[in-house]
Amino acid sequence: MSILIFLVWLASLFMIKGPQKIGATYMTLNNSFYQAINEELKKATDLKGDILYTRDPALDVDKQCQQIEEFIEKKVSVIVINPVDGENEKIQQALRRAHNKGIKIIAVDSQLSDSSYIDSSIVSDNFRAGKLSAQYLMKNNRTANILVLRHWNALSVKERYAGFLATLDRTNYQITQNIETLGQTDIALKQTLKALQQGNQKFDAIVALDDQSAIGALAALDSLALKDSIPVYGIDGSIDMKKLLLSDPNAKATVAQSPIALGKKVVQTCYQLFDRKKVKKEIIVPVYLLTKNNIKNYDVSGWQ
């Protein structure tokens, strides 16, 4: 009987496996950055005949929690999450339930504050992104009162801010106002207009910790006919921001991430997890500076 059991077990090792299931939820899909990450996943799953469920919570914590519960019900093997709020306990509880069901979890682009149940976090070098932004600002402005635009729920943005602060010479450069934009262009436009029109604060530079916000700030400056007046610095290396570096006198620089590289790392890690291979707990993807001076050396028609 024991030999028969062994033979059945051995045969099971060579049985054809059914399609693998992946559930992916990003904080918002109105940002082409996340679309580019997801496209790498889609290409891989289509090629291999696997199943990808992609969801957009539209910056809503409760919706993202519902999507995680849906993935659990669908019995996915891996959940790929870009958290709406990396410190939110509801999201973390939902992910812990998935983890307890044996589902592997990959965080992409932004970490979660508790990584004990996360198999791998795949992020850009966000601290360095903030550092590069500060260095280039100081290179181009001898002194500055700085308006910062940020999406504070994203731990990746907090890392960028930490890198920026750690590098900035606080004697000659002062952050005079922080504005919450949720990483959305329309909110950044309205909030930047409000800050500029108040008149009680002069800004010598605008530092946006994502390109969506930088684009909103540039639109605000344009609407006030403030051409070549306040330099705007972004982070992402988005298609639109790269084009603005070529055309808008206020667009100064952006620190480029690579959603394509992030997506490829997600794909590689997913399939390592499927094969029960050991994966790295944290994977950091390099970033680099794009400016008016070097943008002509890069492709501006797509993501890097």
Side-chain angles (χ1 to χ4, degrees), residues 254-288:
T254 182
V255 180
Q257 303 186 83
S258 175
I260 294 174
L262 286 168
K264 289 182 185 298
K265 290 291 185 183
V266 169
V267 169
Q268 181 185 41
T269 304
C270 275
Y271 283 91
Q272 286 174 333
L273 289 169
F274 292 155
D275 293 336
R276 300 187 179 186
K277 293 180 179 177
K278 187 176 180 181
V279 299
K280 291 183 179 179
K281 186 73 173 176
E282 184 176 55
I283 298 170
I284 298 177
V285 176
V287 297
Y288 55 94

Side-chain angles (χ1 to χ4, degrees), residues 44-267:
T45 51
D46 285 352
L47 181 65
K48 295 176 180 290
D50 293 325
I51 299 169
L52 173 65
Y53 304 106
T54 302
R55 299 292 182 265
D56 178 5
L59 296 171
D60 187 306
V61 165
D62 289 333
K63 282 185 180 178
Q64 190 160 60
C65 291
Q66 291 167 12
Q67 290 162 3
I68 295 166
E69 296 296 342
E70 178 192 355
F71 295 154
I72 294 172
E73 289 178 11
K74 289 182 179 295
K75 298 182 179 180
V76 302
S77 298
V78 175
I79 290 175
V80 175
I81 183 168
N82 168 244
V84 170
D85 181 346
E87 296 177 296
N88 185 272
E89 188 56 34
K90 287 183 181 178
I91 291 175
Q92 298 196 70
Q93 285 176 355
L95 289 173
R96 288 188 196 103
R97 283 194 290 275
H99 171 76
N100 291 337
K101 295 281 187 179
I103 297 172
K104 303 299 184 182
I105 300 168
I106 298 172
V108 62
D109 181 54
S110 191
Q111 309 94 316
L112 290 119
S113 56
D114 179 5
S115 63
S116 61
Y117 55 90
I118 305 296
D119 292 277
S120 186
S121 294
I122 302 172
V123 295
S124 299
D125 193 342
N126 287 300
F127 189 89
R128 178 167 170 76
K131 181 177 180 178
L132 289 173
S133 186
Q135 287 175 340
Y136 198 65
L137 183 152
M138 290 188 294
K139 181 178 178 180
N140 289 278
N141 297 71
R142 294 181 65 182
T143 62
N145 289 324
I146 305 164
L147 171 62
V148 173
L149 309 180
R150 63 191 195 183
H151 178 193
W152 207 235
N153 282 344
L155 292 182
S156 56
V157 169
K158 290 184 177 179
E159 279 286 303
R160 295 170 194 174
Y161 193 67
F164 186 79
L165 286 181
T167 309
L168 196 68
D169 173 4
R170 305 297 285 277
T171 303
N172 297 314
Y173 303 88
Q174 302 296 325
I175 296 173
T176 52
Q177 191 172 350
N178 285 297
I179 290 178
E180 175 62 53
T181 67
L182 296 176
Q184 300 298 296
T185 298
D186 57 339
I187 298 175
L189 167 58
K190 292 173 186 175
Q191 293 292 351
T192 303
L193 273 174
K194 183 179 177 182
L196 293 172
Q197 290 173 325
Q198 281 177 344
N200 60 349
Q201 192 69 257
K202 179 181 179 294
F203 301 110
D204 304 299
I206 298 174
V207 173
L209 299 179
D210 63 86
D211 277 354
Q212 295 275 87
S213 298
I215 291 164
L218 289 165
L221 291 169
D222 187 57
S223 71
L224 296 173
L226 296 174
K227 294 186 181 294
D228 202 13
S229 58
I230 303 177
V232 176
Y233 302 81
I235 294 176
D236 277 338
S238 68
I239 302 163
D240 289 339
M241 190 63 181
K242 287 189 287 190
K243 289 178 179 178
L244 286 167
L245 285 175
L246 290 169
S247 63
D248 190 316
N250 289 316
K252 198 70 174 177
T254 182
V255 180
Q257 303 186 83
S258 175
I260 294 174
L262 286 168
K264 289 182 185 298
K265 290 291 185 183
V266 169
V267 169

